[in-house]
Amino acid sequence: VNRERQRQILDAALALADERGLDSVSMRSVAQRVGVTPMALYPFVGSKAALLEGMVDRLLAELPVPDPELGWRERLATLARALRVLARAHPSSFPLLLARPAVSPDSLRVVETIFQALSDAGLPIDQVPRLERMVSTFVLGYAASEVNGRFSPGTLDTAARRDQLSPAELPVHHKAAFWLDRPVDWDAEFEADLADVLAIVGRAAGDSPGGGAV
Amino acid sequence: VNRERQRQILDAALALADERGLDSVSMRSVAQRVGVTPMALYPFVGSKAALLEGMVDRLLAELPVPDPELGWRERLATLARALRVLARAHPSSFPLLLARPAVSPDSLRVVETIFQALSDAGLPIDQVPRLERMVSTFVLGYAASEVNGRFSPGTLDTAARRDQLSPAELPVHHKAAFWLDRPVDWDAEFEADLADVLAIVGRAAGDSPGGGAV
DNA sequence: ACCTGAACACCGTTCAAGT
DNA sequence: ACCTGAACACCGTTCAAGT
């Protein structure tokens, strides 16, 4: 009903998640931060589940839209990098983006931005939705994996973990040990993956096999 | 301590998630299903968070390892399809795979299978970990998105959703409306994406630009 | 080693009531 | 339209005790 109040509540929930983790977001804690009784939230957010959905909408509202003057490659790359920045700014809430369908106006606008870039790439219109799902799945999955620790298990006991099993059972782990124990340059890896994904789009759009530039 | 009992508890939790959703998995409900008091679980699982981690280990233990006689492409494709089957069998628990680092012996074995295939593809060893993260991120992200509804918002109100915003704001959504409103063949889409991802691996491994077969 | 029972500090949500 | 307060049926986990 009162849109301004709703935003205030969702931002309080987001701030709470940033400061103390997603587990500490409860109707009671959010209400307290807003300075109100838990029940006073219900007319604005409906339920705890809806509160979490609302948080991802606020997240997407923060996402800058890439300059439409840019070429489609730069537009997709800019959007992908912005999503990764968003993940680092809100590591506890970001993984929610992968957990629920995107239905709000703001999320539709993000999808439209990807649609537009794919269309500009020269992709046949019937291929656009498939490639949008592929690109968004990769970017969201990568950024979420990075911030929730899926890529960096346990913090620096990579070797200990590997030694749970015998070298005979994990030959390639042992062959790659040098690179597995070394800190990874995540920025560089993300850029390399991004280039690979954009190459898929380019090829689906009918680039010459060698991969053309734009 | 007693490994057999631990497995029994984790399987009860998994069954509960399958039948009534992840939210209904509680220390109390799992204990009841095992026929014991909630506190009796603690020596075996440690905490609720550890219980959830244990569930994903059990999930991975269910995953069939592809025949090592197969070529690397078929091995990766078989593993990817098996993960998707797993997601459909355990839609509530599967998304946990993307939420936490993989540290158990069983999960290491899955990573090793991918490492092996990438290595056999002819990838330089320093590229193997990066491509493993890329492949697993895509496959887990896709399968999770499929089962948690990220790809199918709201069930059949795709048109209504689109009409929240004006056609002028969502030009490509409207141009692609025919394909967006049509039911998607997810099997076919997954296979197409898989082929694209395997092509990236092949190219990183030094395939001829046109893409060779194996 | 394995389990129970009572207790503590929390949850989300309903309902009736106030302004 | 917006908010409160009491209540209900739950949570995860600690602690002391039993065998």
Side-chain angles (χ1 to χ4, degrees), chain A residues 166-211:
Chain A
S166 73
E169 288 176 292
L170 299 176
V172 190
H173 271 85
H174 280 82
K175 227 190 302 184
F178 177 78
W179 284 273
L180 289 172
D181 296 343
R182 189 156 274 266
V184 176
D185 182 342
W186 298 112
D187 288 357
E189 173 156 324
F190 185 73
E191 291 296 326
D193 285 2
L194 196 52
D196 283 341
V197 170
L198 293 185
I200 289 179
V201 175
R203 280 151 64 86
D207 268 6
S208 59

mmCIF file of all heavy atoms in Angstrom, chain A residues 166-211:
data_model
loop_
_atom_site.group_PDB
_atom_site.id
_atom_site.type_symbol
_atom_site.label_atom_id
_atom_site.label_comp_id
_atom_site.label_asym_id
_atom_site.label_seq_id
_atom_site.Cartn_x
_atom_site.Cartn_y
_atom_site.Cartn_z
ATOM 1 N N SER A 166 43.439 -41.339 -1.036
ATOM 2 C CA SER A 166 44.791 -41.681 -1.475
ATOM 3 C C SER A 166 45.098 -41.036 -2.822
ATOM 4 O O SER A 166 44.191 -40.781 -3.620
ATOM 5 C CB SER A 166 44.908 -43.196 -1.602
ATOM 6 O OG SER A 166 44.207 -43.624 -2.743
ATOM 7 N N PRO A 167 46.381 -40.756 -3.077
ATOM 8 C CA PRO A 167 46.784 -40.188 -4.376
ATOM 9 C C PRO A 167 46.303 -41.038 -5.545
ATOM 10 O O PRO A 167 45.955 -40.495 -6.604
ATOM 11 C CB PRO A 167 48.313 -40.194 -4.302
ATOM 12 C CG PRO A 167 48.616 -40.162 -2.846
ATOM 13 C CD PRO A 167 47.504 -40.899 -2.150
ATOM 14 N N ALA A 168 46.224 -42.328 -5.350
ATOM 15 C CA ALA A 168 45.780 -43.209 -6.440
ATOM 16 C C ALA A 168 44.326 -42.939 -6.802
ATOM 17 O O ALA A 168 43.918 -43.105 -7.951
ATOM 18 C CB ALA A 168 45.957 -44.672 -6.037
ATOM 19 N N GLU A 169 43.553 -42.488 -5.811
ATOM 20 C CA GLU A 169 42.144 -42.219 -6.082
ATOM 21 C C GLU A 169 41.934 -40.840 -6.704
ATOM 22 O O GLU A 169 40.903 -40.590 -7.324
ATOM 23 C CB GLU A 169 41.334 -42.318 -4.784
ATOM 24 C CG GLU A 169 41.182 -43.744 -4.276
ATOM 25 C CD GLU A 169 40.450 -43.789 -2.936
ATOM 26 O OE1 GLU A 169 41.019 -43.323 -1.924
ATOM 27 O OE2 GLU A 169 39.302 -44.272 -2.925
ATOM 28 N N LEU A 170 42.891 -39.943 -6.501
ATOM 29 C CA LEU A 170 42.753 -38.569 -6.988
ATOM 30 C C LEU A 170 43.958 -38.151 -7.833
ATOM 31 O O LEU A 170 44.594 -37.125 -7.555
ATOM 32 C CB LEU A 170 42.604 -37.602 -5.805
ATOM 33 C CG LEU A 170 41.408 -37.794 -4.870
ATOM 34 C CD1 LEU A 170 41.473 -36.807 -3.709
ATOM 35 C CD2 LEU A 170 40.085 -37.640 -5.619
ATOM 36 N N PRO A 171 44.279 -38.897 -8.872
ATOM 37 C CA PRO A 171 45.504 -38.612 -9.617
ATOM 38 C C PRO A 171 45.587 -37.181 -10.158
ATOM 39 O O PRO A 171 46.637 -36.547 -10.044
ATOM 40 C CB PRO A 171 45.472 -39.635 -10.758
ATOM 41 C CG PRO A 171 44.083 -40.147 -10.815
ATOM 42 C CD PRO A 171 43.539 -40.037 -9.440
ATOM 43 N N VAL A 172 44.513 -36.683 -10.716
ATOM 44 C CA VAL A 172 44.595 -35.353 -11.319
ATOM 45 C C VAL A 172 44.663 -34.261 -10.254
ATOM 46 O O VAL A 172 45.335 -33.250 -10.433
ATOM 47 C CB VAL A 172 43.431 -35.096 -12.310
ATOM 48 C CG1 VAL A 172 43.684 -33.825 -13.103
ATOM 49 C CG2 VAL A 172 43.261 -36.276 -13.259
ATOM 50 N N HIS A 173 43.968 -34.459 -9.127
ATOM 51 C CA HIS A 173 44.130 -33.530 -8.014
ATOM 52 C C HIS A 173 45.610 -33.405 -7.654
ATOM 53 O O HIS A 173 46.100 -32.310 -7.388
ATOM 54 C CB HIS A 173 43.360 -34.007 -6.773
ATOM 55 C CG HIS A 173 41.947 -33.538 -6.697
ATOM 56 N ND1 HIS A 173 40.919 -34.203 -7.321
ATOM 57 C CD2 HIS A 173 41.374 -32.460 -6.094
ATOM 58 C CE1 HIS A 173 39.774 -33.562 -7.087
ATOM 59 N NE2 HIS A 173 40.027 -32.509 -6.347
ATOM 60 N N HIS A 174 46.315 -34.513 -7.634
ATOM 61 C CA HIS A 174 47.721 -34.456 -7.243
ATOM 62 C C HIS A 174 48.595 -33.869 -8.345
ATOM 63 O O HIS A 174 49.551 -33.159 -8.073
ATOM 64 C CB HIS A 174 48.211 -35.841 -6.800
ATOM 65 C CG HIS A 174 47.812 -36.160 -5.396
ATOM 66 N ND1 HIS A 174 46.545 -36.641 -5.076
ATOM 67 C CD2 HIS A 174 48.461 -35.993 -4.213
ATOM 68 C CE1 HIS A 174 46.454 -36.775 -3.764
ATOM 69 N NE2 HIS A 174 47.596 -36.404 -3.215
ATOM 70 N N LYS A 175 48.220 -34.157 -9.592
ATOM 71 C CA LYS A 175 48.993 -33.575 -10.685
ATOM 72 C C LYS A 175 48.813 -32.056 -10.721
ATOM 73 O O LYS A 175 49.731 -31.319 -11.086
ATOM 74 C CB LYS A 175 48.539 -34.196 -12.025
ATOM 75 C CG LYS A 175 49.713 -34.632 -12.903
ATOM 76 C CD LYS A 175 49.259 -35.012 -14.312
ATOM 77 C CE LYS A 175 48.218 -36.122 -14.341
ATOM 78 N NZ LYS A 175 47.861 -36.546 -15.699
ATOM 79 N N ALA A 176 47.610 -31.602 -10.327
ATOM 80 C CA ALA A 176 47.317 -30.166 -10.385
ATOM 81 C C ALA A 176 47.558 -29.474 -9.044
ATOM 82 O O ALA A 176 47.214 -28.303 -8.884
ATOM 83 C CB ALA A 176 45.867 -29.954 -10.826
ATOM 84 N N ALA A 177 48.153 -30.194 -8.108
ATOM 85 C CA ALA A 177 48.294 -29.686 -6.731
ATOM 86 C C ALA A 177 48.889 -28.287 -6.678
ATOM 87 O O ALA A 177 48.410 -27.414 -5.945
ATOM 88 C CB ALA A 177 49.138 -30.648 -5.900
ATOM 89 N N PHE A 178 49.909 -28.064 -7.506
ATOM 90 C CA PHE A 178 50.578 -26.766 -7.511
ATOM 91 C C PHE A 178 49.588 -25.630 -7.753
ATOM 92 O O PHE A 178 49.594 -24.622 -7.054
ATOM 93 C CB PHE A 178 51.668 -26.761 -8.581
ATOM 94 C CG PHE A 178 52.376 -25.441 -8.713
ATOM 95 C CD1 PHE A 178 53.356 -25.056 -7.797
ATOM 96 C CD2 PHE A 178 52.062 -24.576 -9.750
ATOM 97 C CE1 PHE A 178 54.004 -23.833 -7.920
ATOM 98 C CE2 PHE A 178 52.710 -23.347 -9.869
ATOM 99 C CZ PHE A 178 53.682 -22.982 -8.963
ATOM 100 N N TRP A 179 48.700 -25.825 -8.735
ATOM 101 C CA TRP A 179 47.744 -24.767 -9.064
ATOM 102 C C TRP A 179 46.563 -24.722 -8.089
ATOM 103 O O TRP A 179 45.954 -23.690 -7.904
ATOM 104 C CB TRP A 179 47.250 -24.914 -10.511
ATOM 105 C CG TRP A 179 48.288 -24.443 -11.471
ATOM 106 C CD1 TRP A 179 48.479 -23.159 -11.908
ATOM 107 C CD2 TRP A 179 49.313 -25.226 -12.077
ATOM 108 N NE1 TRP A 179 49.560 -23.112 -12.739
ATOM 109 C CE2 TRP A 179 50.080 -24.351 -12.880
ATOM 110 C CE3 TRP A 179 49.662 -26.582 -12.040
ATOM 111 C CZ2 TRP A 179 51.174 -24.787 -13.625
ATOM 112 C CZ3 TRP A 179 50.747 -27.015 -12.769
ATOM 113 C CH2 TRP A 179 51.500 -26.133 -13.563
ATOM 114 N N LEU A 180 46.250 -25.872 -7.492
ATOM 115 C CA LEU A 180 45.132 -25.904 -6.547
ATOM 116 C C LEU A 180 45.489 -25.238 -5.222
ATOM 117 O O LEU A 180 44.625 -24.678 -4.546
ATOM 118 C CB LEU A 180 44.694 -27.360 -6.305
ATOM 119 C CG LEU A 180 43.981 -28.021 -7.490
ATOM 120 C CD1 LEU A 180 43.763 -29.498 -7.224
ATOM 121 C CD2 LEU A 180 42.648 -27.334 -7.765
ATOM 122 N N ASP A 181 46.761 -25.297 -4.831
ATOM 123 C CA ASP A 181 47.172 -24.746 -3.537
ATOM 124 C C ASP A 181 47.496 -23.260 -3.609
ATOM 125 O O ASP A 181 47.606 -22.583 -2.594
ATOM 126 C CB ASP A 181 48.385 -25.514 -2.991
ATOM 127 C CG ASP A 181 48.031 -26.965 -2.695
ATOM 128 O OD1 ASP A 181 46.829 -27.263 -2.605
ATOM 129 O OD2 ASP A 181 48.954 -27.792 -2.564
ATOM 130 N N ARG A 182 47.658 -22.753 -4.822
ATOM 131 C CA ARG A 182 48.001 -21.367 -5.096
ATOM 132 C C ARG A 182 46.734 -20.497 -5.029
ATOM 133 O O ARG A 182 45.672 -20.937 -5.442
ATOM 134 C CB ARG A 182 48.521 -21.383 -6.538
ATOM 135 C CG ARG A 182 49.141 -20.169 -7.070
ATOM 136 C CD ARG A 182 50.063 -20.630 -8.192
ATOM 137 N NE ARG A 182 51.322 -20.974 -7.605
ATOM 138 C CZ ARG A 182 52.344 -20.094 -7.528
ATOM 139 N NH1 ARG A 182 52.230 -18.920 -8.072
ATOM 140 N NH2 ARG A 182 53.464 -20.435 -6.947
ATOM 141 N N PRO A 183 46.819 -19.278 -4.502
ATOM 142 C CA PRO A 183 45.630 -18.407 -4.526
ATOM 143 C C PRO A 183 45.220 -18.084 -5.962
ATOM 144 O O PRO A 183 46.064 -17.896 -6.830
ATOM 145 C CB PRO A 183 46.077 -17.149 -3.781
ATOM 146 C CG PRO A 183 47.563 -17.210 -3.716
ATOM 147 C CD PRO A 183 47.954 -18.648 -3.821
ATOM 148 N N VAL A 184 43.916 -18.028 -6.191
ATOM 149 C CA VAL A 184 43.405 -17.830 -7.540
ATOM 150 C C VAL A 184 43.103 -16.345 -7.778
ATOM 151 O O VAL A 184 42.638 -15.656 -6.881
ATOM 152 C CB VAL A 184 42.118 -18.662 -7.750
ATOM 153 C CG1 VAL A 184 41.516 -18.388 -9.118
ATOM 154 C CG2 VAL A 184 42.404 -20.140 -7.559
ATOM 155 N N ASP A 185 43.390 -15.864 -8.969
ATOM 156 C CA ASP A 185 43.009 -14.509 -9.355
ATOM 157 C C ASP A 185 41.592 -14.557 -9.914
ATOM 158 O O ASP A 185 41.364 -14.808 -11.091
ATOM 159 C CB ASP A 185 43.984 -13.982 -10.422
ATOM 160 C CG ASP A 185 43.654 -12.549 -10.836
ATOM 161 O OD1 ASP A 185 42.517 -12.088 -10.589
ATOM 162 O OD2 ASP A 185 44.546 -11.890 -11.396
ATOM 163 N N TRP A 186 40.618 -14.325 -9.027
ATOM 164 C CA TRP A 186 39.216 -14.515 -9.427
ATOM 165 C C TRP A 186 38.776 -13.520 -10.490
ATOM 166 O O TRP A 186 37.951 -13.838 -11.343
ATOM 167 C CB TRP A 186 38.310 -14.423 -8.195
ATOM 168 C CG TRP A 186 38.612 -15.498 -7.191
ATOM 169 C CD1 TRP A 186 39.159 -15.336 -5.949
ATOM 170 C CD2 TRP A 186 38.414 -16.913 -7.355
ATOM 171 N NE1 TRP A 186 39.316 -16.563 -5.337
ATOM 172 C CE2 TRP A 186 38.867 -17.542 -6.171
ATOM 173 C CE3 TRP A 186 37.903 -17.713 -8.381
ATOM 174 C CZ2 TRP A 186 38.829 -18.930 -5.983
ATOM 175 C CZ3 TRP A 186 37.861 -19.086 -8.194
ATOM 176 C CH2 TRP A 186 38.318 -19.683 -7.018
ATOM 177 N N ASP A 187 39.309 -12.292 -10.430
ATOM 178 C CA ASP A 187 38.969 -11.315 -11.462
ATOM 179 C C ASP A 187 39.366 -11.842 -12.836
ATOM 180 O O ASP A 187 38.581 -11.813 -13.787
ATOM 181 C CB ASP A 187 39.712 -9.995 -11.213
ATOM 182 C CG ASP A 187 39.147 -9.245 -10.016
ATOM 183 O OD1 ASP A 187 38.155 -9.727 -9.438
ATOM 184 O OD2 ASP A 187 39.707 -8.190 -9.667
ATOM 185 N N ALA A 188 40.596 -12.345 -12.931
ATOM 186 C CA ALA A 188 41.091 -12.839 -14.224
ATOM 187 C C ALA A 188 40.288 -14.051 -14.683
ATOM 188 O O ALA A 188 39.946 -14.175 -15.861
ATOM 189 C CB ALA A 188 42.575 -13.199 -14.107
ATOM 190 N N GLU A 189 39.982 -14.951 -13.740
ATOM 191 C CA GLU A 189 39.210 -16.141 -14.107
ATOM 192 C C GLU A 189 37.822 -15.765 -14.606
ATOM 193 O O GLU A 189 37.332 -16.311 -15.601
ATOM 194 C CB GLU A 189 39.090 -17.096 -12.912
ATOM 195 C CG GLU A 189 38.159 -18.271 -13.198
ATOM 196 C CD GLU A 189 38.434 -19.490 -12.347
ATOM 197 O OE1 GLU A 189 39.629 -19.759 -12.052
ATOM 198 O OE2 GLU A 189 37.475 -20.192 -11.980
ATOM 199 N N PHE A 190 37.195 -14.798 -13.934
ATOM 200 C CA PHE A 190 35.868 -14.370 -14.359
ATOM 201 C C PHE A 190 35.912 -13.780 -15.763
ATOM 202 O O PHE A 190 35.057 -14.082 -16.600
ATOM 203 C CB PHE A 190 35.296 -13.348 -13.368
ATOM 204 C CG PHE A 190 33.879 -12.944 -13.671
ATOM 205 C CD1 PHE A 190 32.831 -13.825 -13.437
ATOM 206 C CD2 PHE A 190 33.590 -11.688 -14.182
ATOM 207 C CE1 PHE A 190 31.520 -13.467 -13.710
ATOM 208 C CE2 PHE A 190 32.280 -11.318 -14.458
ATOM 209 C CZ PHE A 190 31.250 -12.204 -14.226
ATOM 210 N N GLU A 191 36.911 -12.969 -16.034
ATOM 211 C CA GLU A 191 37.044 -12.379 -17.364
ATOM 212 C C GLU A 191 37.264 -13.447 -18.433
ATOM 213 O O GLU A 191 36.709 -13.376 -19.534
ATOM 214 C CB GLU A 191 38.191 -11.361 -17.395
ATOM 215 C CG GLU A 191 37.915 -10.087 -16.598
ATOM 216 C CD GLU A 191 36.740 -9.277 -17.151
ATOM 217 O OE1 GLU A 191 36.536 -9.253 -18.375
ATOM 218 O OE2 GLU A 191 36.006 -8.666 -16.337
ATOM 219 N N ALA A 192 38.063 -14.445 -18.103
ATOM 220 C CA ALA A 192 38.319 -15.520 -19.065
ATOM 221 C C ALA A 192 37.040 -16.306 -19.355
ATOM 222 O O ALA A 192 36.715 -16.599 -20.513
ATOM 223 C CB ALA A 192 39.406 -16.461 -18.537
ATOM 224 N N ASP A 193 36.281 -16.611 -18.283
ATOM 225 C CA ASP A 193 35.016 -17.338 -18.461
ATOM 226 C C ASP A 193 34.034 -16.506 -19.278
ATOM 227 O O ASP A 193 33.344 -17.012 -20.160
ATOM 228 C CB ASP A 193 34.406 -17.665 -17.098
ATOM 229 C CG ASP A 193 35.131 -18.809 -16.394
ATOM 230 O OD1 ASP A 193 36.126 -19.309 -16.957
ATOM 231 O OD2 ASP A 193 34.701 -19.193 -15.298
ATOM 232 N N LEU A 194 33.990 -15.224 -18.955
ATOM 233 C CA LEU A 194 33.092 -14.309 -19.652
ATOM 234 C C LEU A 194 33.400 -14.294 -21.157
ATOM 235 O O LEU A 194 32.498 -14.373 -21.996
ATOM 236 C CB LEU A 194 33.260 -12.908 -19.055
ATOM 237 C CG LEU A 194 32.196 -11.862 -19.330
ATOM 238 C CD1 LEU A 194 30.821 -12.411 -18.984
ATOM 239 C CD2 LEU A 194 32.491 -10.608 -18.506
ATOM 240 N N ALA A 195 34.670 -14.236 -21.472
ATOM 241 C CA ALA A 195 35.065 -14.248 -22.891
ATOM 242 C C ALA A 195 34.589 -15.539 -23.554
ATOM 243 O O ALA A 195 34.087 -15.521 -24.682
ATOM 244 C CB ALA A 195 36.580 -14.102 -23.005
ATOM 245 N N ASP A 196 34.715 -16.657 -22.846
ATOM 246 C CA ASP A 196 34.268 -17.937 -23.398
ATOM 247 C C ASP A 196 32.763 -17.947 -23.637
ATOM 248 O O ASP A 196 32.283 -18.425 -24.673
ATOM 249 C CB ASP A 196 34.636 -19.082 -22.440
ATOM 250 C CG ASP A 196 36.116 -19.457 -22.528
ATOM 251 O OD1 ASP A 196 36.763 -19.110 -23.540
ATOM 252 O OD2 ASP A 196 36.624 -20.108 -21.593
ATOM 253 N N VAL A 197 32.017 -17.403 -22.663
ATOM 254 C CA VAL A 197 30.558 -17.381 -22.800
ATOM 255 C C VAL A 197 30.140 -16.464 -23.949
ATOM 256 O O VAL A 197 29.264 -16.810 -24.747
ATOM 257 C CB VAL A 197 29.895 -16.942 -21.476
ATOM 258 C CG1 VAL A 197 28.409 -16.673 -21.675
ATOM 259 C CG2 VAL A 197 30.086 -18.016 -20.410
ATOM 260 N N LEU A 198 30.789 -15.313 -24.053
ATOM 261 C CA LEU A 198 30.457 -14.393 -25.148
ATOM 262 C C LEU A 198 30.802 -15.013 -26.504
ATOM 263 O O LEU A 198 30.123 -14.756 -27.503
ATOM 264 C CB LEU A 198 31.175 -13.046 -24.965
ATOM 265 C CG LEU A 198 30.711 -12.237 -23.759
ATOM 266 C CD1 LEU A 198 31.389 -10.874 -23.716
ATOM 267 C CD2 LEU A 198 29.189 -12.067 -23.755
ATOM 268 N N ALA A 199 31.833 -15.853 -26.514
ATOM 269 C CA ALA A 199 32.182 -16.542 -27.761
ATOM 270 C C ALA A 199 31.067 -17.500 -28.184
ATOM 271 O O ALA A 199 30.762 -17.634 -29.368
ATOM 272 C CB ALA A 199 33.504 -17.289 -27.599
ATOM 273 N N ILE A 200 30.440 -18.157 -27.197
ATOM 274 C CA ILE A 200 29.301 -19.028 -27.508
ATOM 275 C C ILE A 200 28.187 -18.220 -28.157
ATOM 276 O O ILE A 200 27.619 -18.615 -29.173
ATOM 277 C CB ILE A 200 28.752 -19.704 -26.227
ATOM 278 C CG1 ILE A 200 29.726 -20.765 -25.720
ATOM 279 C CG2 ILE A 200 27.388 -20.332 -26.500
ATOM 280 C CD1 ILE A 200 29.256 -21.442 -24.439
ATOM 281 N N VAL A 201 27.884 -17.068 -27.560
ATOM 282 C CA VAL A 201 26.834 -16.210 -28.112
ATOM 283 C C VAL A 201 27.194 -15.812 -29.540
ATOM 284 O O VAL A 201 26.374 -15.917 -30.453
ATOM 285 C CB VAL A 201 26.640 -14.948 -27.239
ATOM 286 C CG1 VAL A 201 25.641 -14.003 -27.900
ATOM 287 C CG2 VAL A 201 26.162 -15.330 -25.844
ATOM 288 N N GLY A 202 28.438 -15.374 -29.721
ATOM 289 C CA GLY A 202 28.875 -14.957 -31.045
ATOM 290 C C GLY A 202 28.725 -16.071 -32.070
ATOM 291 O O GLY A 202 28.247 -15.846 -33.180
ATOM 292 N N ARG A 203 29.102 -17.269 -31.688
ATOM 293 C CA ARG A 203 29.006 -18.395 -32.615
ATOM 294 C C ARG A 203 27.548 -18.740 -32.922
ATOM 295 O O ARG A 203 27.205 -19.028 -34.075
ATOM 296 C CB ARG A 203 29.740 -19.605 -32.045
ATOM 297 C CG ARG A 203 31.261 -19.519 -32.257
ATOM 298 C CD ARG A 203 32.018 -20.247 -31.176
ATOM 299 N NE ARG A 203 31.757 -21.680 -31.176
ATOM 300 C CZ ARG A 203 32.426 -22.554 -31.928
ATOM 301 N NH1 ARG A 203 33.377 -22.142 -32.751
ATOM 302 N NH2 ARG A 203 32.152 -23.833 -31.876
ATOM 303 N N ALA A 204 26.697 -18.694 -31.884
ATOM 304 C CA ALA A 204 25.274 -18.972 -32.115
ATOM 305 C C ALA A 204 24.664 -17.912 -33.017
ATOM 306 O O ALA A 204 23.688 -18.155 -33.728
ATOM 307 C CB ALA A 204 24.525 -19.023 -30.780
ATOM 308 N N ALA A 205 25.253 -16.707 -32.988
ATOM 309 C CA ALA A 205 24.745 -15.613 -33.822
ATOM 310 C C ALA A 205 25.319 -15.674 -35.228
ATOM 311 O O ALA A 205 25.020 -14.826 -36.061
ATOM 312 C CB ALA A 205 25.059 -14.271 -33.188
ATOM 313 N N GLY A 206 26.169 -16.668 -35.454
ATOM 314 C CA GLY A 206 26.646 -16.857 -36.824
ATOM 315 C C GLY A 206 27.966 -16.196 -37.142
ATOM 316 O O GLY A 206 28.260 -15.913 -38.294
ATOM 317 N N ASP A 207 28.780 -15.951 -36.103
ATOM 318 C CA ASP A 207 30.146 -15.486 -36.342
ATOM 319 C C ASP A 207 30.870 -16.444 -37.270
ATOM 320 O O ASP A 207 30.535 -17.617 -37.358
ATOM 321 C CB ASP A 207 30.939 -15.500 -35.017
ATOM 322 C CG ASP A 207 30.849 -14.157 -34.315
ATOM 323 O OD1 ASP A 207 30.093 -13.306 -34.794
ATOM 324 O OD2 ASP A 207 31.526 -14.001 -33.300
ATOM 325 N N SER A 208 31.901 -15.930 -37.912
ATOM 326 C CA SER A 208 32.783 -16.850 -38.620
ATOM 327 C C SER A 208 33.439 -17.733 -37.565
ATOM 328 O O SER A 208 33.704 -17.285 -36.457
ATOM 329 C CB SER A 208 33.839 -16.061 -39.385
ATOM 330 O OG SER A 208 34.600 -15.267 -38.492
ATOM 331 N N PRO A 209 33.703 -19.019 -37.884
ATOM 332 C CA PRO A 209 34.207 -19.987 -36.910
ATOM 333 C C PRO A 209 35.396 -19.482 -36.085
ATOM 334 O O PRO A 209 35.550 -19.845 -34.937
ATOM 335 C CB PRO A 209 34.613 -21.177 -37.774
ATOM 336 C CG PRO A 209 33.716 -21.089 -38.963
ATOM 337 C CD PRO A 209 33.499 -19.612 -39.196
ATOM 338 N N GLY A 210 36.243 -18.655 -36.651
ATOM 339 C CA GLY A 210 37.387 -18.166 -35.902
ATOM 340 C C GLY A 210 36.998 -17.205 -34.787
ATOM 341 O O GLY A 210 37.769 -16.984 -33.873
ATOM 342 N N GLY A 211 35.786 -16.657 -34.846
ATOM 343 C CA GLY A 211 35.324 -15.744 -33.810
ATOM 344 C C GLY A 211 35.623 -14.310 -34.194
ATOM 345 O O GLY A 211 36.772 -13.885 -34.136
#
